[in-house]
PDB file of all heavy atoms in Angstrom:
ATOM      1  N   ARG A   1      -1.685 -15.356  17.396  1.00 94.00           N
ATOM      2  CA  ARG A   1      -2.573 -16.529  17.396  1.00 94.00           C
ATOM      3  C   ARG A   1      -3.704 -16.500  16.373  1.00 94.00           C
ATOM      4  O   ARG A   1      -4.540 -17.405  16.364  1.00 94.00           O
ATOM      5  CB  ARG A   1      -3.174 -16.771  18.793  1.00 94.00           C
ATOM      6  CG  ARG A   1      -2.151 -17.051  19.860  1.00 94.00           C
ATOM      7  CD  ARG A   1      -2.736 -17.789  21.027  1.00 94.00           C
ATOM      8  NE  ARG A   1      -3.770 -17.040  21.715  1.00 94.00           N
ATOM      9  CZ  ARG A   1      -4.523 -17.546  22.686  1.00 94.00           C
ATOM     10  NH1 ARG A   1      -4.373 -18.801  23.068  1.00 94.00           N
ATOM     11  NH2 ARG A   1      -5.421 -16.797  23.287  1.00 94.00           N
ATOM     12  N   ASP A   2      -3.775 -15.492  15.511  1.00 94.00           N
ATOM     13  CA  ASP A   2      -4.870 -15.489  14.527  1.00 94.00           C
ATOM     14  C   ASP A   2      -4.439 -14.800  13.231  1.00 94.00           C
ATOM     15  O   ASP A   2      -5.116 -13.905  12.734  1.00 94.00           O
ATOM     16  CB  ASP A   2      -6.104 -14.802  15.113  1.00 94.00           C
ATOM     17  CG  ASP A   2      -7.385 -15.174  14.358  1.00 94.00           C
ATOM     18  OD1 ASP A   2      -7.376 -16.191  13.625  1.00 94.00           O
ATOM     19  OD2 ASP A   2      -8.382 -14.445  14.485  1.00 94.00           O
ATOM     20  N   ILE A   3      -3.329 -15.255  12.686  1.00 96.00           N
ATOM     21  CA  ILE A   3      -2.830 -14.694  11.429  1.00 96.00           C
ATOM     22  C   ILE A   3      -3.593 -15.319  10.272  1.00 96.00           C
ATOM     23  O   ILE A   3      -3.621 -16.541  10.106  1.00 96.00           O
ATOM     24  CB  ILE A   3      -1.321 -14.954  11.279  1.00 96.00           C
ATOM     25  CG1 ILE A   3      -0.563 -14.253  12.406  1.00 96.00           C
ATOM     26  CG2 ILE A   3      -0.813 -14.480   9.919  1.00 96.00           C
ATOM     27  CD1 ILE A   3       0.879 -14.667  12.512  1.00 96.00           C
ATOM     28  N   LYS A   4      -4.227 -14.474   9.468  1.00 96.00           N
ATOM     29  CA  LYS A   4      -5.008 -14.911   8.315  1.00 96.00           C
ATOM     30  C   LYS A   4      -5.239 -13.701   7.411  1.00 96.00           C
ATOM     31  O   LYS A   4      -5.009 -12.548   7.832  1.00 96.00           O
ATOM     32  CB  LYS A   4      -6.343 -15.496   8.775  1.00 96.00           C
ATOM     33  CG  LYS A   4      -7.216 -14.536   9.581  1.00 96.00           C
ATOM     34  CD  LYS A   4      -8.480 -15.217  10.075  1.00 96.00           C
ATOM     35  CE  LYS A   4      -9.336 -14.253  10.909  1.00 96.00           C
ATOM     36  NZ  LYS A   4     -10.566 -14.912  11.409  1.00 96.00           N
ATOM     37  N   PRO A   5      -5.692 -13.905   6.171  1.00 97.00           N
ATOM     38  CA  PRO A   5      -5.878 -12.773   5.244  1.00 97.00           C
ATOM     39  C   PRO A   5      -6.803 -11.680   5.769  1.00 97.00           C
ATOM     40  O   PRO A   5      -6.581 -10.497   5.490  1.00 97.00           O
ATOM     41  CB  PRO A   5      -6.450 -13.450   3.993  1.00 97.00           C
ATOM     42  CG  PRO A   5      -5.880 -14.833   4.030  1.00 97.00           C
ATOM     43  CD  PRO A   5      -5.863 -15.204   5.487  1.00 97.00           C
ATOM     44  N   ASP A   6      -7.836 -12.040   6.542  1.00 96.00           N
ATOM     45  CA  ASP A   6      -8.761 -11.038   7.083  1.00 96.00           C
ATOM     46  C   ASP A   6      -8.098 -10.135   8.110  1.00 96.00           C
ATOM     47  O   ASP A   6      -8.601  -9.040   8.391  1.00 96.00           O
ATOM     48  CB  ASP A   6      -9.965 -11.728   7.735  1.00 96.00           C
ATOM     49  CG  ASP A   6     -10.866 -12.372   6.708  1.00 96.00           C
ATOM     50  OD1 ASP A   6     -11.381 -11.669   5.838  1.00 96.00           O
ATOM     51  OD2 ASP A   6     -11.040 -13.611   6.763  1.00 96.00           O
ATOM     52  N   ASN A   7      -6.990 -10.575   8.697  1.00 97.00           N
ATOM     53  CA  ASN A   7      -6.324  -9.811   9.744  1.00 97.00           C
ATOM     54  C   ASN A   7      -5.047  -9.127   9.261  1.00 97.00           C
ATOM     55  O   ASN A   7      -4.188  -8.761  10.066  1.00 97.00           O
ATOM     56  CB  ASN A   7      -6.006 -10.710  10.945  1.00 97.00           C
ATOM     57  CG  ASN A   7      -7.252 -11.023  11.753  1.00 97.00           C
ATOM     58  OD1 ASN A   7      -8.269 -10.346  11.625  1.00 97.00           O
ATOM     59  ND2 ASN A   7      -7.180 -12.049  12.584  1.00 97.00           N
ATOM     60  N   ILE A   8      -4.944  -8.971   7.953  1.00 98.00           N
ATOM     61  CA  ILE A   8      -3.820  -8.236   7.376  1.00 98.00           C
ATOM     62  C   ILE A   8      -4.372  -7.157   6.463  1.00 98.00           C
ATOM     63  O   ILE A   8      -5.134  -7.440   5.545  1.00 98.00           O
ATOM     64  CB  ILE A   8      -2.883  -9.171   6.587  1.00 98.00           C
ATOM     65  CG1 ILE A   8      -2.247 -10.190   7.540  1.00 98.00           C
ATOM     66  CG2 ILE A   8      -1.814  -8.362   5.845  1.00 98.00           C
ATOM     67  CD1 ILE A   8      -1.441 -11.259   6.842  1.00 98.00           C
ATOM     68  N   MET A   9      -4.019  -5.912   6.757  1.00 98.00           N
ATOM     69  CA  MET A   9      -4.423  -4.789   5.914  1.00 98.00           C
ATOM     70  C   MET A   9      -3.316  -4.472   4.923  1.00 98.00           C
ATOM     71  O   MET A   9      -2.136  -4.510   5.275  1.00 98.00           O
ATOM     72  CB  MET A   9      -4.706  -3.549   6.769  1.00 98.00           C
ATOM     73  CG  MET A   9      -5.892  -3.673   7.706  1.00 98.00           C
ATOM     74  SD  MET A   9      -7.478  -3.834   6.837  1.00 98.00           S
ATOM     75  CE  MET A   9      -7.534  -2.281   5.924  1.00 98.00           C
ATOM     76  N   ILE A  10      -3.713  -4.165   3.688  1.00 98.00           N
ATOM     77  CA  ILE A  10      -2.770  -3.721   2.681  1.00 98.00           C
ATOM     78  C   ILE A  10      -3.019  -2.238   2.437  1.00 98.00           C
ATOM     79  O   ILE A  10      -4.084  -1.851   1.953  1.00 98.00           O
ATOM     80  CB  ILE A  10      -2.916  -4.509   1.363  1.00 98.00           C
ATOM     81  CG1 ILE A  10      -2.836  -6.020   1.633  1.00 98.00           C
ATOM     82  CG2 ILE A  10      -1.843  -4.076   0.362  1.00 98.00           C
ATOM     83  CD1 ILE A  10      -1.541  -6.486   2.248  1.00 98.00           C
ATOM     84  N   ARG A  11      -2.056  -1.427   2.808  1.00 98.00           N
ATOM     85  CA  ARG A  11      -2.189   0.019   2.627  1.00 98.00           C
ATOM     86  C   ARG A  11      -2.157   0.384   1.141  1.00 98.00           C
ATOM     87  O   ARG A  11      -1.720  -0.419   0.306  1.00 98.00           O
ATOM     88  CB  ARG A  11      -1.054   0.736   3.353  1.00 98.00           C
ATOM     89  CG  ARG A  11      -1.136   0.745   4.879  1.00 98.00           C
ATOM     90  CD  ARG A  11      -0.096   1.692   5.413  1.00 98.00           C
ATOM     91  NE  ARG A  11      -0.201   1.898   6.859  1.00 98.00           N
ATOM     92  CZ  ARG A  11       0.682   1.454   7.738  1.00 98.00           C
ATOM     93  NH1 ARG A  11       1.729   0.767   7.322  1.00 98.00           N
ATOM     94  NH2 ARG A  11       0.531   1.706   9.032  1.00 98.00           N
ATOM     95  N   PRO A  12      -2.591   1.602   0.805  1.00 97.00           N
ATOM     96  CA  PRO A  12      -2.527   2.042  -0.597  1.00 97.00           C
ATOM     97  C   PRO A  12      -1.131   1.958  -1.205  1.00 97.00           C
ATOM     98  O   PRO A  12      -0.989   1.773  -2.420  1.00 97.00           O
ATOM     99  CB  PRO A  12      -3.030   3.485  -0.529  1.00 97.00           C
ATOM    100  CG  PRO A  12      -3.959   3.493   0.647  1.00 97.00           C
ATOM    101  CD  PRO A  12      -3.319   2.581   1.642  1.00 97.00           C
ATOM    102  N   ASP A  13      -0.085   2.076  -0.363  1.00 97.00           N
ATOM    103  CA  ASP A  13       1.280   1.981  -0.892  1.00 97.00           C
ATOM    104  C   ASP A  13       1.763   0.546  -1.037  1.00 97.00           C
ATOM    105  O   ASP A  13       2.908   0.294  -1.440  1.00 97.00           O
ATOM    106  CB  ASP A  13       2.255   2.781  -0.017  1.00 97.00           C
ATOM    107  CG  ASP A  13       2.401   2.195   1.394  1.00 97.00           C
ATOM    108  OD1 ASP A  13       1.787   1.141   1.683  1.00 97.00           O
ATOM    109  OD2 ASP A  13       3.131   2.794   2.206  1.00 97.00           O
ATOM    110  N   GLY A  14       0.886  -0.421  -0.701  1.00 96.00           N
ATOM    111  CA  GLY A  14       1.232  -1.832  -0.869  1.00 96.00           C
ATOM    112  C   GLY A  14       1.849  -2.489   0.339  1.00 96.00           C
ATOM    113  O   GLY A  14       2.099  -3.698   0.322  1.00 96.00           O
ATOM    114  N   SER A  15       2.086  -1.749   1.410  1.00 97.00           N
ATOM    115  CA  SER A  15       2.681  -2.341   2.608  1.00 97.00           C
ATOM    116  C   SER A  15       1.620  -3.057   3.445  1.00 97.00           C
ATOM    117  O   SER A  15       0.429  -2.734   3.382  1.00 97.00           O
ATOM    118  CB  SER A  15       3.387  -1.271   3.443  1.00 97.00           C
ATOM    119  OG  SER A  15       2.462  -0.289   3.887  1.00 97.00           O
ATOM    120  N   ALA A  16       2.064  -4.024   4.231  1.00 98.00           N
ATOM    121  CA  ALA A  16       1.157  -4.862   5.010  1.00 98.00           C
ATOM    122  C   ALA A  16       1.170  -4.475   6.484  1.00 98.00           C
ATOM    123  O   ALA A  16       2.215  -4.117   7.040  1.00 98.00           O
ATOM    124  CB  ALA A  16       1.543  -6.330   4.858  1.00 98.00           C
ATOM    125  N   VAL A  17      -0.009  -4.554   7.123  1.00 98.00           N
ATOM    126  CA  VAL A  17      -0.149  -4.267   8.551  1.00 98.00           C
ATOM    127  C   VAL A  17      -0.940  -5.402   9.189  1.00 98.00           C
ATOM    128  O   VAL A  17      -2.040  -5.734   8.741  1.00 98.00           O
ATOM    129  CB  VAL A  17      -0.885  -2.928   8.792  1.00 98.00           C
ATOM    130  CG1 VAL A  17      -1.004  -2.658  10.290  1.00 98.00           C
ATOM    131  CG2 VAL A  17      -0.157  -1.779   8.098  1.00 98.00           C
ATOM    132  N   LEU A  18      -0.382  -6.003  10.219  1.00 98.00           N
ATOM    133  CA  LEU A  18      -1.052  -7.081  10.950  1.00 98.00           C
ATOM    134  C   LEU A  18      -1.974  -6.465  11.994  1.00 98.00           C
ATOM    135  O   LEU A  18      -1.534  -5.692  12.847  1.00 98.00           O
ATOM    136  CB  LEU A  18      -0.012  -7.977  11.618  1.00 98.00           C
ATOM    137  CG  LEU A  18      -0.525  -9.160  12.443  1.00 98.00           C
ATOM    138  CD1 LEU A  18      -1.327 -10.124  11.575  1.00 98.00           C
ATOM    139  CD2 LEU A  18       0.646  -9.874  13.116  1.00 98.00           C
ATOM    140  N   ILE A  19      -3.269  -6.787  11.930  1.00 98.00           N
ATOM    141  CA  ILE A  19      -4.249  -6.183  12.835  1.00 98.00           C
ATOM    142  C   ILE A  19      -4.921  -7.251  13.699  1.00 98.00           C
ATOM    143  O   ILE A  19      -4.623  -8.437  13.584  1.00 98.00           O
ATOM    144  CB  ILE A  19      -5.320  -5.397  12.043  1.00 98.00           C
ATOM    145  CG1 ILE A  19      -6.118  -6.348  11.141  1.00 98.00           C
ATOM    146  CG2 ILE A  19      -4.680  -4.285  11.231  1.00 98.00           C
ATOM    147  CD1 ILE A  19      -7.339  -5.707  10.494  1.00 98.00           C
ATOM    148  N   ASP A  20      -5.836  -6.816  14.543  1.00 96.00           N
ATOM    149  CA  ASP A  20      -6.717  -7.651  15.368  1.00 96.00           C
ATOM    150  C   ASP A  20      -5.961  -8.520  16.370  1.00 96.00           C
ATOM    151  O   ASP A  20      -5.650  -9.679  16.121  1.00 96.00           O
ATOM    152  CB  ASP A  20      -7.616  -8.531  14.495  1.00 96.00           C
ATOM    153  CG  ASP A  20      -8.814  -9.045  15.289  1.00 96.00           C
ATOM    154  OD1 ASP A  20      -8.801  -8.956  16.533  1.00 96.00           O
ATOM    155  OD2 ASP A  20      -9.770  -9.544  14.661  1.00 96.00           O
ATOM    156  N   LEU A  21      -5.721  -7.939  17.532  1.00 96.00           N
ATOM    157  CA  LEU A  21      -5.065  -8.645  18.626  1.00 96.00           C
ATOM    158  C   LEU A  21      -6.075  -9.197  19.628  1.00 96.00           C
ATOM    159  O   LEU A  21      -5.735  -9.447  20.785  1.00 96.00           O
ATOM    160  CB  LEU A  21      -4.101  -7.696  19.336  1.00 96.00           C
ATOM    161  CG  LEU A  21      -2.906  -7.232  18.498  1.00 96.00           C
ATOM    162  CD1 LEU A  21      -2.319  -5.955  19.077  1.00 96.00           C
ATOM    163  CD2 LEU A  21      -1.859  -8.311  18.408  1.00 96.00           C
ATOM    164  N   SER A  22      -7.304  -9.399  19.182  1.00 94.00           N
ATOM    165  CA  SER A  22      -8.386  -9.752  20.107  1.00 94.00           C
ATOM    166  C   SER A  22      -8.172 -11.084  20.820  1.00 94.00           C
ATOM    167  O   SER A  22      -8.673 -11.279  21.927  1.00 94.00           O
ATOM    168  CB  SER A  22      -9.735  -9.759  19.378  1.00 94.00           C
ATOM    169  OG  SER A  22      -9.738 -10.681  18.314  1.00 94.00           O
ATOM    170  N   ILE A  23      -7.447 -12.034  20.210  1.00 93.00           N
ATOM    171  CA  ILE A  23      -7.176 -13.291  20.912  1.00 93.00           C
ATOM    172  C   ILE A  23      -5.681 -13.490  21.148  1.00 93.00           C
ATOM    173  O   ILE A  23      -5.241 -14.592  21.480  1.00 93.00           O
ATOM    174  CB  ILE A  23      -7.771 -14.521  20.185  1.00 93.00           C
ATOM    175  CG1 ILE A  23      -7.071 -14.762  18.842  1.00 93.00           C
ATOM    176  CG2 ILE A  23      -9.266 -14.380  20.015  1.00 93.00           C
ATOM    177  CD1 ILE A  23      -7.417 -16.124  18.250  1.00 93.00           C
ATOM    178  N   ALA A  24      -4.914 -12.408  20.978  1.00 95.00           N
ATOM    179  CA  ALA A  24      -3.483 -12.488  21.286  1.00 95.00           C
ATOM    180  C   ALA A  24      -3.293 -12.735  22.775  1.00 95.00           C
ATOM    181  O   ALA A  24      -4.159 -12.411  23.590  1.00 95.00           O
ATOM    182  CB  ALA A  24      -2.782 -11.198  20.867  1.00 95.00           C
TER     183      ALA A  24
END
């Protein structure tokens, strides 16, 4: 319920991680 650029981390290897489940 809150997918946006601030809630996606880009690791040093370039892979993406979806974070922040606070309003899931």
